[in-house]
Amino acid sequence: MYESFFEMSRTPFTRNVPPEALYETQAMSDTLGRLMYVADKKLFAVVTSDPGCGKSTLLRKFDAMLPKDEYILLYLSDSKLTPKWFYKGLLEQLGMESGFYRGDAKRQLLKAIEIIQGVQKKRVVCVLDEAHLLDKEMLEEFRFMLNYHFDSESPMALVLCGQTELWESKLRLQRYTAIRQRIDMYCTLPPLNRAECDVYIDSHMKYAGCKQDVFTDNAIDKIYQISNGIPRMINRVCEKSLMYACQRQKRLIDDHMISFVAEHEMLANAIIEK
């Protein structure tokens, strides 16, 4: 639709942009560096951010950065995850059938990881997304699992990734002190600042193959104001603005057009976000 009007070869603000083409803020770059260290040393990390601030982008980049001949990444995202299904899910990703009982499944997983490390010479990295939805039983299970070889080492690297409430409403509480003390790395992803918002939009437009300036400086000011620097909201405002400009046959998007789109076409999204 608007891609041909603006002479683009790709759609700029979609979720399936390749990891290597995704804009990387300094905060994201720092977090990726820390996660690589966590993977190498088999540590326990927690990553949080507000909704839409780039957790999924971070994990995609992290997965792409891990050398496949040195690491095996296991990924789970389940709001109703229980210890039994945790071990079952990881074993299935390793091509194994899980035992019926949780204890058996846990021993299977630890044995499989030992073989992977000893025979394949690879490290295992487990990433649990949407971890703010996990209950106390599941969070406690991580503590027991990481207590390996008389607490002298960890069987694998573990990364919990979730919304800010994972830390603020759960891990900071007294009842989670034992878990919190085992966390080796805690990282947060903040919203973009105004300068990063500008570069973010520009990088997506360049990825799409757009060779012209489409958004004015005032338009980017307005996008930043409306989105509060949240990448997901920046994507929505930009996409709808490009569609509106195409319909109006306008090749330049100014702040007035952004305001119109925000007022008339973003209402439903604003309600949903609240």
Side-chain angles (χ1 to χ4, degrees), residues 16 46 63 74 79 82 97 99 105 170 181 183 193 229 241 268 270:
N16 61 352
V46 172
D63 180 39
L74 307 176
S79 62
T82 64
E97 185 174 346
K170 288 190 176 181
Q181 289 176 347
I183 298 172
N193 60 36
S241 298

Side-chain angles (χ1 to χ4, degrees), residues 6 8 12 30 53 95 107 125 142 183 216 234 251:
F6 288 105
M8 299 176 181
D30 291 343
C53 282
R107 285 187 287 273
V125 181
F142 300 139
I183 298 172
T216 67
I234 294 173
R251 296 192 179 276

Side-chain angles (χ1 to χ4, degrees), residues 44 47 89 103 105 137 157 201 217 235 256:
F44 179 22
V47 180
E137 181 188 20
I201 293 172
D217 287 341
N235 289 349
H256 300 292

Side-chain angles (χ1 to χ4, degrees), residues 93-138:
Q93 291 184 50
L94 293 174
M96 302 176 63
E97 185 174 346
S98 170
F100 180 79
Y101 295 103
R102 177 171 68 182
D104 294 337
K106 179 180 178 180
R107 285 187 287 273
Q108 277 183 272
L109 178 64
L110 293 177
K111 184 64 176 178
I113 292 174
E114 285 184 355
I115 293 173
I116 290 170
Q117 293 179 151
V119 178
Q120 300 182 30
K121 305 301 181 184
K122 293 182 179 181
R123 295 179 179 86
V124 176
V125 181
C126 176
V127 174
L128 271 78
D129 202 359
E130 305 298 336
H132 57 283
L133 300 173
L134 299 178
D135 61 18
K136 187 175 186 294
E137 181 188 20
M138 191 63 245

Side-chain angles (χ1 to χ4, degrees), residues 45-53 55-56 59 75-81 127-139 142 159-173 176 186 232:
V46 172
V47 180
T48 65
S49 78
D50 290 337
C53 282
K55 295 187 300 298
S56 297
L59 295 180
Y75 174 87
L76 289 174
S77 178
D78 186 347
S79 62
K80 302 298 183 182
L81 192 66
V127 174
L128 271 78
D129 202 359
E130 305 298 336
H132 57 283
L133 300 173
L134 299 178
D135 61 18
K136 187 175 186 294
E137 181 188 20
M138 191 63 245
L139 290 172
F142 300 139
V159 180
L160 301 187
C161 192
Q163 294 180 13
T164 306
E165 63 191 82
L166 171 62
W167 183 263
E168 296 295 334
S169 303
K170 288 190 176 181
L171 295 177
R172 286 184 62 182
L173 301 180
Y176 294 111
Y186 173 55
R232 183 183 297 158

